[in-house]
Amino acid sequence: METILAFLVLIGVLVWFHELGHFLFAKLFGVKVEVFSIGFGPVLLSKKWGETEYRISAVPLGGFVKLYGEEDAVDDPRAFSSKKNYQKIFIAFAGPLFNFLLAIFVFSLIFVVGRPTPSYVLKEPLVGYVVENSPAQKLGLQEGDLLLEINGKKVSTWKDVEGAVLESILKKEWKVGILRNSQRVILSGKVDLSKAGSFGAEPYIAPIVGRVLPGSPAEQVGIKEGDEILEVNGKKVKSWYSAAYYIKSAKENVIRLKIRRDGQIFEKLVVPVKDKNTGIPIIGVSPRIEVVKVKEPLGKAVFESLEKTKDLTVLSLKAVWGLITGGISVKTLGGPIAIAQLAGESAQQGLIAFLGMMAFISVQLAVFNLIPLPVLDGGLILLFLIESIRRKPLSPRFKENWQKVGFAIIIALSAFVILNDIVRLMTGNRL
């Protein structure tokens, strides 16, 4: 129920802002707005204020603004068809623009209010663990390496590393500068991060239990917060990541843990269970991580939100290009079920996490709508640009066929991503 509610709130806000952009710019240029609808299909609620009917409809996967004279040429100064092409372009672009503005506003709000941040994010990027078979390991990174730069971008904190990796997520050739044994070393090689899920270079996190899940195998055998894990099945543990790796890769049905508590050493026998989403053996513990609340002054918050929105936009455009060229598998696409999952999970983590996810999806929605496909805002903008260059309208028959092609593409794409979502649910794979 929480997932459904979070999804409806998310989609409702994103669609409302998107359609509000079309609505306000239509009003700005004197176009009569006949309908403002959140959702498609059967009308659930309807109210007419002034000349516009406002609706909430049954299918909450989008919305629309119906403009007078949008479908037929009408000789009326208040008709959309009577407006200049540059005005039509602004009206079409206003929807994605408002999604960008929503993302900037939400990110700014998060930065000003403050978001809980692991303290290690602000520390120097000293590698404490390298994930097995990860891009970082394939490049040759080792525990104890100090990261200096990633693909030409200097990094001085783990926060910088996150940003550099995000910018380079679609790169195939990587160069990473490190400091190893007081010597500067350049590691280079081919990396496909889009399939790996993460870079694989992690900060040092002490193997100390921060939380024990209620009802978990760990709680059942008496593991407590503050316990330090020393060994897993006889293997010495250096960090939390190595403990987690030994647990998930254990072939035994019973895992033997050696722990330290208040200076005393104990042994615990734990029977792991498989995570319902990943199928990986877990015992139900998470690490102790110092968390600080990072706040930014308004000016810096706005600047950082602009930077983050720009980076996400560039990354989204690169992803679209990767899908077109085959560099990224179409199986990575997610639909409404995947979005609902993300909405529910982020809502469980708190308001800040939910707002951050909303801003992220808002950027994706803006970029998607600017793709020059029929039916999408980008397709309309393309038509109006062509008409401006030709200096005469396109034929009604061409526009009709253009719309039909657009609907066919969108229906096929929607069916594909929903099928993708269902397959992921059935197999336990996540985005």
Side-chain angles (χ1 to χ4, degrees):
M1 187 62 185
E2 184 180 12
T3 294
I4 295 174
L5 181 60
F7 174 70
L8 292 177
V9 171
L10 171 73
I11 294 298
V13 172
L14 294 179
V15 170
W16 184 79
F17 259 86
H18 183 92
E19 301 305 331
L20 180 65
H22 294 312
F23 175 86
L24 292 178
F25 270 69
K27 288 288 189 180
L28 177 66
F29 293 119
V31 177
K32 178 182 176 182
V33 180
E34 296 181 328
V35 178
F36 186 114
S37 177
I38 304 298
F40 300 108
V43 178
L44 301 178
L45 295 172
S46 176
K47 176 71 175 179
K48 188 164 186 177
W49 280 307
E51 62 187 14
T52 305
E53 179 187 356
Y54 299 87
R55 299 176 183 170
I56 296 179
S57 300
V59 184
L61 297 179
F64 65 93
V65 168
K66 187 175 184 298
L67 306 177
Y68 171 55
E70 183 178 9
E71 297 176 352
D72 302 305
V74 179
D75 187 16
D76 187 321
R78 298 212 59 204
F80 179 76
S81 56
S82 70
K83 299 303 175 181
K84 298 182 182 300
N85 280 330
Y86 82 87
Q87 294 173 319
K88 295 177 182 178
I89 289 172
F90 273 116
I91 293 171
F93 178 69
L97 173 63
F98 268 54
N99 281 125
F100 283 127
L101 293 177
L102 173 63
I104 293 168
F105 172 76
V106 171
F107 282 136
S108 298
L109 180 64
I110 291 172
F111 296 154
V112 167
V113 171
R115 68 274 192 204
T117 303
S119 59
Y120 67 75
V121 169
L122 307 176
K123 296 178 181 177
E124 65 175 10
L126 185 66
V127 178
Y129 181 73
V130 180
V131 177
E132 191 81 13
N133 296 320
S134 66
Q137 187 187 59
K138 292 174 182 177
L139 283 170
L141 276 168
Q142 301 174 6
E143 293 180 21
D145 289 343
L146 179 65
L147 295 168
L148 300 176
E149 62 181 56
I150 296 176
N151 294 325
K153 184 172 183 178
K154 293 183 179 180
V155 293
S156 56
T157 65
W158 281 106
K159 181 180 178 182
D160 294 338
V161 172
E162 290 177 3
V165 169
L166 182 64
E167 287 183 15
S168 303
I169 196 168
L170 298 178
K171 282 184 175 291
K172 302 301 181 185
E173 297 284 343
W174 279 53
K175 283 188 177 182
V176 177
I178 62 170
L179 193 65
R180 177 182 294 170
N181 299 325
S182 301
Q183 291 186 337
R184 184 182 177 87
V185 179
I186 299 293
L187 304 175
S188 61
K190 292 186 176 181
V191 169
D192 190 352
L193 201 61
S194 63
K195 296 179 181 178
S198 68
F199 181 50
E202 305 292 348
Y204 173 77
I205 295 177
I208 298 174
V209 176
R211 182 172 176 239
V212 181
L213 296 179
S216 66
E219 185 189 54
Q220 292 170 12
V221 300
I223 293 177
K224 298 180 179 180
E225 178 182 340
D227 288 349
E228 181 183 2
I229 302 174
L230 302 176
E231 293 182 7
V232 176
N233 289 337
K235 298 176 181 177
K236 292 188 180 297
V237 168
K238 295 181 179 179
S239 69
W240 183 267
Y241 294 104
S242 60
Y245 175 75
Y246 294 147
I247 290 171
K248 75 178 183 180
S249 60
K251 296 180 180 179
E252 299 87 347
N253 292 327
V254 178
I255 293 176
R256 188 173 76 257
L257 298 180
K258 182 180 285 188
I259 64 173
R260 180 187 288 132
R261 180 189 301 163
D262 299 327
Q264 294 184 314
I265 295 177
F266 302 88
E267 277 201 357
K268 298 286 185 179
L269 299 179
V270 188
V271 179
V273 296
K274 288 189 176 181
D275 182 270
K276 62 181 181 179
N277 292 320
T278 64
I280 295 173
I282 60 171
I283 62 173
V285 293
S286 57
R288 175 188 288 175
I289 298 176
E290 181 186 354
V291 175
V292 295
K293 197 168 188 179
V294 178
K295 297 182 180 181
E296 305 289 1
L298 181 59
K300 187 176 180 182
V302 172
F303 176 79
E304 287 195 2
S305 68
L306 287 168
E307 283 288 308
K308 192 170 186 67
T309 302
K310 181 206 74 175
D311 291 342
L312 287 174
T313 300
V314 172
L315 181 62
S316 300
L317 290 171
K318 288 180 179 179
V320 170
W321 182 248
L323 289 168
I324 293 172
T325 59
I328 298 178
S329 172
V330 292
K331 292 181 180 179
T332 60
L333 291 174
I337 298 174
I339 294 174
Q341 281 184 318
L342 291 173
E345 290 170 1
S346 62
Q348 290 174 357
Q349 296 170 26
L351 180 60
I352 294 297
F354 181 73
L355 288 175
M357 194 273 300
M358 177 184 289
F360 174 80
I361 298 293
S362 191
V363 173
Q364 313 308 306
L365 181 61
V367 172
F368 175 74
N369 271 280
L370 286 174
I371 297 173
L373 288 175
V375 182
L376 299 180
D377 296 325
L380 289 174
I381 292 171
L382 178 61
L383 285 184
F384 300 142
L385 286 173
I386 292 172
E387 289 185 341
S388 297
I389 294 170
R390 296 176 77 239
R391 296 188 177 181
K392 62 179 180 179
L394 293 163
S395 70
R397 184 175 180 180
F398 176 85
K399 290 182 179 180
E400 182 182 349
N401 290 333
W402 177 261
Q403 293 291 326
K404 288 179 179 178
V405 170
F407 277 117
I409 292 173
I410 295 300
I411 290 171
L413 181 61
S414 299
F416 178 80
V417 295
I418 291 173
L419 180 62
N420 246 5
D421 288 348
I422 294 172
V423 170
R424 268 192 289 264
L425 281 177
M426 293 177 65
T427 60
N429 294 326
R430 307 303 300 275
L431 280 172

